[in-house]
């Protein structure tokens, strides 16, 4: 493995956007440093004032973008340059982090305005913070030399103000810039300066991050011993002061020992880093470390453990890939709706402008007629009234057209959302069936073959070995039955062979035999559904029965399916502990249940309260 491929997986923490493609050696420690800088910058974003007409914006959530705009206008009229500069900072904050924002382009312009205003009044304290944020903007755009110049200006101001703690953070950010420019000498020079200042100022938070970063760099260079030393320093700091990269710091030593061939020592260290990443939901790192642990076990020739962690890595990777696909689908849907809305607004605005122009022309013609012909004033009044009524009718017609267009757009959006949900449900069903086939054909077949082999063992065995043999056969029998049960739940063959009611009765009988509650499945009328509708109804009832068995502690469950023409009604009731469905949080199970009901274009009615059982009813019209 090349040195550039070594080290900890490059994963970006939640809340920090990914950098441009040319950042090949960037890792979470640099971004964690910038997140720390934002915490230091936040106090400079507070606006002064006590009364409501001056707005105390110490907490962004207390005010809207409109209120900040009003404060800015007031400051501009009073020629209060300092308040105007702070308002520009809040505009940047809103456009970057709040829902009212429009994106980084507008945010950058407001930040430039704040820079110019602070420079005009010579406010060096706030100007240095603005320079750091502007430099980070340039790094995101790939303009490294511009970012370097801005960081140097911020460094000069911090030296002039004597703020050594902020100076150490600027050195840290400048070293990141030189790393992106592949200037190793300057990178190490400014990283050492930042480290020395952090030691002097006793800034343990930054010091832990810098130690971890230096260790990562040394490991990339192949100096594993140095990487381990810096990792231990960072971990020692992290025990007393929380640093966001404590998980990376621990894992750094584990990866370094892995590449040094110390596989047995690397495994427990890598395992101890995983809980930190799980807590921060950095699942890409967890997947990577599972792979590292598997590789260590493989080199130690412990193939069972190696296979176990390899499968953990693969399953987590598949889950992350599915989450990324769902996230991308949601982003595309939002983008599509936004563009459609903008196009509709533009078209309606053009139509409104055209109508208003025509109305102005008509009013001008009426005015000319009234002023030029005194004799025919009564006639002109009649003409004027005619045109006014006509304009009013046109406006009413335009309003009706806008309403119709908006309703059509809403209908199309709902249909698009329903189609997206349907595709997601179908994809889940296909994956469930694939998993069931693989489980039945693969693991089920192997367990059955093993059982046949055990059955053929020497029947004349000593009593102690015969007892062990029978115990193994008993365990194996239950394992085969469990595999078949899982396969049957994921891929109900009875649904294809015998229909919906028989499949539900088979499923209910298996649950009654295994877990105890009495499940009664009844139908009223002839049930005639399409294959897709039968599968959706089966999954809905299966989910409701499973929830009742797992959570309701019930003794009896009643399932009733009624069809009258195209109207289908499903009722699932239990005598369990019940719950307050009005205040209960919506979990993933209830969410998926609602999505399946939406695919059927039906409605879900829940009637439940504590200690009174639960009743779920689904109504829809079949095709």
């Amino acid at each position: 493995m090349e040195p550039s491929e070594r080290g900890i997986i490059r994963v970006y923490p939640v809340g920090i956007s990914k950098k441009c493609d040319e950042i090949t050696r960037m890792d979470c420690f640099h971004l964690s440093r910038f997140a720390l800088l934002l915490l230091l910058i936040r106090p400079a974003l507070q606006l002064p004032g006590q009364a409501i007409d001056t707005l105390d914006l110490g907490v962004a959530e207390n005010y809207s973008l409109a209120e900040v705009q009003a404060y800015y206008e007031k400051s501009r009229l009073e020629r209060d340059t300092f308040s105007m500069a702070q308002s520009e900072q809040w505009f940047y904050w809103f456009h970057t982090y709040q829902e009212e924002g429009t994106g980084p382009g507008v945010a950058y312009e407001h930040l430039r305005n704040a820079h110019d205003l602070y420079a005009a009044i010579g406010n060096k304290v706030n100007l240095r913070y603005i320079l750091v944020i502007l430099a980070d903007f340039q790094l995101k755009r790939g303009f490294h030399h511009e970012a370097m110049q801005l960081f140097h200006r911020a460094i000069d101001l911090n030296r002039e103000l004597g703020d050594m703690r902020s100076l150490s953070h600027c050195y840290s950010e400048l070293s990141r810039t030189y790393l992106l420019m592949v200037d190793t000498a300057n990178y190490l020079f400014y990283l050492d300066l930042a480290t020395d200042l952090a030691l002097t100022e006793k800034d343990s938070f930054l010091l832990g991050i810098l130690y971890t970063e230096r260790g990562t760099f040394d490991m990339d260079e192949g100096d594993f011993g140095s990487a381990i030393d810096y990792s231990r320093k960072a971990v020692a700091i992290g025990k007393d002061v929380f640093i966001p990269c404590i998980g990376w710091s621990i894992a750094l030593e584990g990866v370094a020992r892995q590449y040094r061939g110390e596989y047995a020592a690397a495994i427990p260290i890598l395992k101890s880093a995983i809980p930190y990443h799980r807590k921060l939901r950095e699942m890409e790192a967890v997947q990577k470390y599972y792979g590292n642990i598997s590789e260590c076990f493989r080199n130690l020739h412990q193939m069972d453990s190696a296979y176990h962690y390899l499968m953990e890595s693969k399953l987590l990777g598949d889950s992350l890939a599915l989450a990324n696909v769902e996230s991308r689908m949601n982003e595309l849907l939002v983008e599509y709706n936004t563009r459609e809305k903008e196009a509709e607004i533009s078209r309606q605005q053009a139509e409104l402008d055209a109508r208003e122009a025509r109305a102005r022309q008509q009013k001008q013609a009426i005015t000319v007629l009234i002023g030029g012909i005194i004799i025919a004033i009564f006639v002109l009044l009649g003409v004027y009234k005619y045109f006014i009524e006509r304009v009013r009718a046109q406006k009413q017609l335009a309003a009706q057209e806008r309403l119709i267009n908006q309703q059509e757009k809403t209908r199309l959006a709902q249909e698009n959302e329903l189609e997206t949900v349907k595709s997601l449900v179908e994809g889940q069903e296909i994956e469930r069936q694939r998993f069931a086939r693989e489980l039945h054909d693969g693991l089920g077949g192997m367990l059955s073959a093993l059982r046949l082999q055990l059955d053929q063992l020497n029947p004349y065995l000593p009593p102690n070995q015969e007892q062990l043999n029978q115990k193994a056969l008993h365990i194996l029998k239950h394992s085969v039955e469990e595999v078949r049960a899982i396969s049957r739940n994921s891929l109900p063959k009875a649904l294809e062979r015998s229909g919906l009611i028989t499949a539900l009765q088979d499923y209910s009988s298996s649950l009654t035999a295994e877990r105890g509650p009495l499940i009664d499945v009844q139908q009223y009328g002839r049930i005639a559904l399409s294959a897709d509708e039968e599968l959706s109804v089966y999954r809905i009832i299966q989910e409701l029965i499973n929830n009742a068995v797992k959570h309701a502690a019930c003794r009896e469950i009643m399932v009733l399916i009624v069809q009258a023409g195209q109207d289908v009604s499903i009722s699932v009731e239990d005598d369990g502990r019940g719950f307050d469905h009005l205040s209960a949080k919506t979990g993933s199970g209830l969410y998926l249940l609602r999505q399946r009901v939406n695919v059927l274009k039906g409605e879900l009615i829940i009637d439940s309260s504590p200690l009174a059982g639960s009743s779920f009813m689904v109504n829809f019209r079949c095709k």
Side-chain angles (χ1 to χ4, degrees), residues 37-306:
L37 278 174
L38 288 180
L39 294 176
L40 296 175
I41 292 168
R42 181 87 186 247
L45 300 176
Q46 298 181 357
L47 301 182
Q50 300 298 327
I52 187 64
D53 60 339
T54 58
L55 290 180
D56 178 9
L57 295 179
V59 180
E61 293 77 6
N62 290 348
Y63 303 96
S64 66
L65 186 59
E67 289 174 312
V68 180
Q69 181 68 44
Y71 180 79
Y72 172 80
E73 294 298 332
K74 179 177 180 297
S75 302
R76 185 176 62 83
L77 292 175
E78 295 175 355
R79 297 183 179 181
D80 185 349
T81 306
F82 179 77
S83 297
M84 289 171 61
Q86 290 187 309
S87 299
E88 293 286 0
Q89 284 183 261
W90 271 113
F91 286 141
Y92 151 76
W93 191 266
F94 267 107
H95 288 293
T96 303
Y97 300 106
Q98 303 297 320
E99 292 182 358
E100 299 111 304
T102 57
V106 177
Y108 178 77
E109 291 301 322
H110 285 297
L111 207 57
R112 288 294 308 177
N113 293 338
H115 169 274
D116 296 341
L117 290 170
Y118 281 133
I121 61 177
N123 189 315
K124 299 178 181 179
V125 174
N126 285 2
L127 183 60
R128 58 178 174 169
Y129 295 127
I130 300 298
L131 289 170
V132 171
I133 305 177
L134 283 172
D136 185 72
F137 262 104
Q138 299 291 15
L139 286 181
K140 292 177 181 178
R141 297 165 63 188
F143 299 152
H144 302 147
H145 289 282
E146 291 78 356
M148 178 185 66
Q149 295 173 1
L150 291 168
F151 279 130
H152 275 296
R153 287 180 57 193
I155 287 172
D156 292 340
L157 287 177
N158 279 309
R159 286 174 176 168
E160 185 177 345
L161 295 169
D163 189 345
M164 296 297 104
R165 178 171 288 238
S166 295
L167 180 60
S168 65
H169 286 277
C170 285
Y171 281 148
S172 174
E173 289 298 296
L174 185 58
S175 70
R176 171 166 68 105
T177 305
Y178 280 114
L179 180 62
L180 298 177
M181 297 170 65
V182 198
D183 187 344
T184 304
N186 277 315
Y187 163 69
L188 293 175
F189 175 75
Y190 284 104
L191 188 66
D192 290 341
L193 284 180
T195 304
D196 293 341
L197 267 181
L199 283 169
T200 303
E201 295 296 316
K202 298 181 179 180
D203 189 349
S204 301
F205 193 101
L206 178 62
L207 193 60
I209 294 173
L210 293 176
Y211 280 153
T212 306
E213 180 180 348
R214 179 58 185 270
T216 303
F217 176 83
D218 289 342
M219 186 171 65
D220 286 344
E221 295 297 316
D223 190 350
F224 302 128
S226 177
I228 292 173
D229 292 340
Y230 279 110
S231 168
R232 290 180 172 178
K233 290 181 180 180
V235 172
I237 293 175
K239 292 179 180 178
D240 300 324
V241 178
F242 172 76
I243 58 175
C245 59
I246 181 66
W248 305 99
S249 304
I250 296 172
L252 176 62
E253 180 181 355
V255 174
R257 291 189 180 279
Q258 177 188 358
Y259 287 114
R260 225 169 44 168
E262 301 173 4
Y263 305 116
I267 290 172
I269 298 174
L270 290 171
K271 287 182 178 179
S272 66
I274 289 177
Y276 293 96
H277 292 286
R278 286 192 179 275
K279 184 177 181 181
L280 296 175
R281 297 182 180 180
E282 296 168 345
M283 304 311 295
E284 293 90 345
V286 176
Q287 180 196 6
K288 173 65 177 177
Y289 297 153
Y290 278 150
N292 288 357
I293 294 172
S294 174
E295 183 67 19
C296 289
F297 276 120
R298 188 182 69 82
N299 288 318
L300 292 172
H301 304 291
Q302 298 180 23
M303 296 308 174
D304 289 344
S305 297

Side-chain angles (χ1 to χ4, degrees), residues 531-552:
D532 291 341
E533 290 170 340
E534 280 193 345
L535 182 58
S536 295
V537 170
Y538 181 87
R539 291 305 184 197
I540 289 172
I541 295 176
Q542 183 185 40
E543 180 68 21
L544 291 173
I545 292 176
N546 281 338
N547 288 342
V549 172
K550 291 179 181 178
H551 308 297

